[in-house]
Amino acid sequence: MRTLAELTGGRLNPYMEQQFKDYAGNLLAEHNRKLLTPSEERWLGVVNFAESELGKKVPLSGTHYRGHLGTWVRTFYPQLGDRQETRLVNGVQQPIYVYACHEPTVAAGLTKAIEEFFAHPSPGAALRQAGAFASKKAVVTA
């Protein structure tokens, strides 16, 4: 990636950078992939699941937006999982929670959580009331 950045004068598009990283990773792992048995695992973020599996449009802003959807699932459905992966989100690599969508109980739980989220008139207020936005900063006392 450093060579590509040098060739382009440090102006790599984040999506292009992710594509090159994925391509390089695929090349390096190709020989191992042939030896592995196929897996039916599907790990998706909650927004990906909502959009691809349920056909929901999750907006970037507004009452029922992406950030609140993820917080809703983590707050009210923590039993669905706590695995994090680094993914490209709005052009920036960041850790997101991913869920084992290949497991029927997880898929059903995500579906229920997403339907509840979109049916709620004010999910932000419900999350505040549940303490989802409470500051986790340490308080210094003298």
Side-chain angles (χ1 to χ4, degrees):
M1 292 314 304
R2 187 177 332 144
T3 302
L4 283 172
E6 289 168 359
L7 289 172
T8 61
R11 294 171 290 161
L12 273 180
N13 176 317
Y15 293 101
M16 184 77 73
E17 185 175 337
Q18 180 66 48
Q19 187 176 10
F20 283 123
K21 285 181 182 177
D22 291 346
Y23 181 71
N26 288 340
L27 285 176
L28 294 171
E30 186 61 34
H31 66 280
N32 287 335
R33 202 173 317 189
K34 291 177 182 175
L35 300 174
L36 296 173
T37 57
S39 172
E40 296 297 322
E41 287 189 3
R42 290 189 57 218
W43 293 86
L44 296 173
V46 68
V47 172
N48 287 10
F49 183 83
E51 291 182 341
S52 68
E53 302 300 313
L54 304 179
K56 301 278 188 189
K57 175 67 180 134
V58 187
L60 293 172
S61 62
T63 307
H64 294 86
Y65 84 105
R66 292 169 180 253
H68 278 178
L69 176 56
T71 304
W72 183 275
V73 172
R74 286 190 314 282
T75 302
F76 299 116
Y77 293 86
Q79 74 277 10
L80 294 178
D82 61 358
R83 178 176 170 175
Q84 283 188 299
E85 291 182 1
T86 301
R87 299 270 177 101
L88 191 61
V89 179
N90 298 329
V92 178
Q93 288 284 350
Q94 49 185 312
I96 66 161
Y97 287 87
V98 291
Y99 299 92
C101 298
H102 53 277
E103 294 180 13
T105 55
V106 174
L110 281 175
T111 300
K112 181 178 184 217
I114 292 164
E115 296 297 339
E116 283 179 5
F117 174 79
F118 281 103
H120 198 283
S122 180
L127 289 168
R128 274 189 294 285
Q129 186 176 10
F133 304 126
S135 175
K136 298 197 172 38
K137 295 179 182 175
V139 177
V140 178
T141 58

